[in-house]
Amino acid sequence: MISPVNAIATLEAMGISHVVWIPDSLFGQWEGHLQNSSLRLIRVCREGEAWPLAAGLWAGGAQPLVIMQTTGLFESGDALRNVGFDLKCPLYAWIGVRNWLNPNSPDSARRFAVPQVDAWQLDHVWVENDGDFGRVKEHYADCRTAARLGIALIAEGAG
Amino acid sequence: MSRRIDELDESSQARLPCEDVLRILAEYRRDDEIVVTNQMSARVWPAFSEHELDFNYLSSTMGGAIPLALGLALAKPELQVIVLSGDGSLLMNLGCLATVVASNIENLTVVLLDNGLYEVTGGQQTAGSLAKVDFAAIARGCGIENSIAVQNAEHWRELISKRRTKCAIQFYAIKVDRISPATPRNSTTKVDEKIKALRERLTQKSVAHRQQSC
């Protein structure tokens, strides 16, 4: 179980300044908490916008976080390629993995999630419940130190 | 004064030499303004400007320049950000204009260089040119009130020289010709070093910026 309160508190503890997002069914429940937090919420129209927007924030000295579902990761592949591997911006993202908690789900978004993450060689950690947020903070710090792109995969139910 | 492109008579629709548009912009660009170029403009902008706050975004992701410039504008509200986009790139990402407005900023200027072509790949027509897309109207429909179809070089000079910065989002749609083969092209390498250098300039020293009341 992931609590919105603990998720937002984790982002604040990480020092995130802006959240660039397109919500899914899980992340959508966080909207009110995000709006009442110290984080600035930036709403994009498609996921391909999110990566270069976050790159611009990073270039300006901010600490952005990108939030999207794996379906958005599929959609935004070229933007991720460019920002992560051409510009080499050390961005961090939380990616919701739809139906990961439903092992028998026929959802193709579930089926291709891990192969996609592996294909992009994305350094990642998994989050299944609030107890994993400590690991996310450590991973984020490691990625910042190494100046590399990183993601946390958020295990979701049906979405 | 603004007019829709399709309201202009045939003689006033003449495309401007893209080099003239860039030359005029470089002439009136202020020292505290970040300029983000993209695709063909990234290749030729260095022939008109060499400035520490230039970011020639190449190689890029098509449609990524306006979002990247928006990120800069959000992170550095005390600076004006000017972004040059081609029409093909904007067509790939029209929603970004809504994102710009929704982000509640006042320090972004979008200059659309509309040649109706995918110039980098050899000059194939865009769907937008066949559909006669009115980009200024689209921008206005997204909520950018200061959205203007530029009529000629004098109009462009007047607009860019008299613009107020950090007061409102601005969108200028300019019909342009293809870049001349004689115009020097920039090297396309080391974009990672370029963005890192820009970040260092923006974070390690304060960029002197002018105060302006709207």
Side-chain angles (χ1 to χ4, degrees):
Chain A
M1 186 70 182
I2 294 173
S3 124
V5 171
N6 287 334
I8 305 310
T10 299
L11 295 179
E12 290 181 319
M14 288 160 59
I16 297 298
S17 59
H18 297 73
V19 170
V20 184
W21 89 338
I22 288 190
D24 66 2
S25 301
L26 173 72
F27 298 135
Q29 298 169 37
W30 303 0
E31 185 179 35
H33 299 274
L34 278 165
Q35 288 174 315
N36 292 323
S37 73
S38 63
L39 307 164
R40 183 158 177 185
L41 183 60
I42 308 297
R43 304 162 195 272
V44 294
C45 296
R46 59 180 277 257
E47 289 85 351
E49 286 180 64
W51 299 107
L53 203 164
L57 282 162
W58 173 80
Q63 290 190 47
L65 179 92
V66 173
I67 289 182
M68 63 179 63
Q69 199 182 59
T70 39
T71 48
L73 189 68
F74 301 148
E75 191 279 337
S76 64
D78 185 63
L80 170 64
R81 173 202 60 75
N82 172 250
V83 166
F85 300 97
D86 293 343
L87 272 61
K88 298 187 173 70
C89 294
L91 303 179
Y92 203 79
W94 285 11
I95 308 291
V97 185
R98 190 174 72 191
N99 273 315
W100 189 253
L101 299 175
N102 301 321
N104 297 321
S105 168
D107 185 358
S108 61
R110 181 185 193 281
R111 177 181 165 199
F112 289 110
V114 170
Q116 175 84 351
V117 168
D118 290 342
W120 286 114
Q121 302 169 2
L122 298 174
D123 189 344
H124 63 278
V125 292
W126 278 92
V127 178
E128 293 200 358
N129 55 54
D130 286 357
D132 294 325
F133 281 133
R135 201 146 44 91
V136 172
K137 283 189 265 192
E138 290 173 11
H139 185 241
Y140 178 68
D142 290 346
C143 288
R144 280 179 61 84
T145 301
R148 68 169 175 261
L149 186 69
I151 63 171
L153 293 169
I154 313 296
E156 298 181 350
Chain B
M1 156 180 186
S2 68
R3 298 170 68 189
R4 287 162 48 108
I5 293 260
D6 60 9
E7 290 174 343
L8 304 177
D9 61 32
E10 200 62 30
S11 60
S12 63
Q13 284 188 42
R15 295 179 180 275
L16 302 184
C18 193
E19 289 89 341
D20 288 356
V21 173
L22 300 178
R23 190 174 295 112
I24 291 169
L25 177 60
E27 185 180 341
Y28 290 100
R29 178 261 189 87
R30 296 162 186 155
D31 244 7
D32 61 348
E33 291 179 315
I34 301 169
V35 175
V36 177
T37 61
N38 188 228
Q39 298 288 351
M40 184 54 89
S41 66
R43 288 171 165 84
V44 299
W45 179 247
F48 303 93
S49 167
E50 288 284 357
H51 191 287
E52 64 175 4
L53 296 183
D54 286 345
F55 178 61
N56 296 309
Y57 185 15
L58 187 71
S59 62
S60 67
T61 180
M62 272 191 80
I66 294 174
L68 187 137
L70 171 59
L72 285 164
L74 282 159
K76 304 299 289 183
E78 71 276 21
L79 302 179
Q80 184 73 19
V81 181
I82 300 172
V83 56
L84 304 178
S85 174
D87 55 310
S89 290
L90 181 56
L91 283 167
M92 278 199 179
N93 200 6
L94 280 172
C96 73
L97 297 179
T99 304
V100 163
V101 174
S103 297
N104 196 28
I105 53 154
E106 297 184 318
N107 58 329
L108 183 67
T109 299
V110 179
V111 179
L112 181 72
L113 302 171
D114 176 10
N115 60 13
L117 303 168
Y118 295 115
E119 189 166 11
V120 170
T121 57
Q124 304 82 13
Q125 273 195 294
T126 64
S129 69
L130 296 172
K132 302 190 186 314
V133 169
D134 183 342
F135 289 102
I138 288 174
R140 204 173 300 119
C142 287
I144 303 177
E145 292 178 7
N146 193 1
S147 175
I148 298 172
V150 177
Q151 298 168 42
N152 52 48
E154 291 70 33
H155 189 205
W156 174 231
R157 182 181 293 279
E158 180 185 352
L159 288 168
I160 204 70
S161 65
K162 294 182 177 172
R163 75 197 189 286
R164 298 172 69 84
T165 59
K166 293 173 270 184
C167 290
I169 302 161
Q170 299 153 344
F171 183 95
Y172 300 117
I174 311 176
K175 295 273 190 186
V176 295
D177 281 327
R178 298 178 70 164
I179 293 283
S180 162
T183 301
R185 265 64 167 173
N186 184 28
S187 158
T188 62
T189 58
K190 298 188 168 54
V191 70
D192 56 325
E193 293 179 10
K194 291 180 203 167
I195 197 166
K196 193 175 172 188
L198 177 65
R199 185 173 190 270
E200 286 172 359
R201 286 182 205 110
L202 292 175
T203 58
Q204 292 182 358
K205 69 174 183 179
S206 68
V207 177
H209 59 276
R210 64 172 65 190
Q211 300 290 330
Q212 180 173 304
S213 57
C214 297

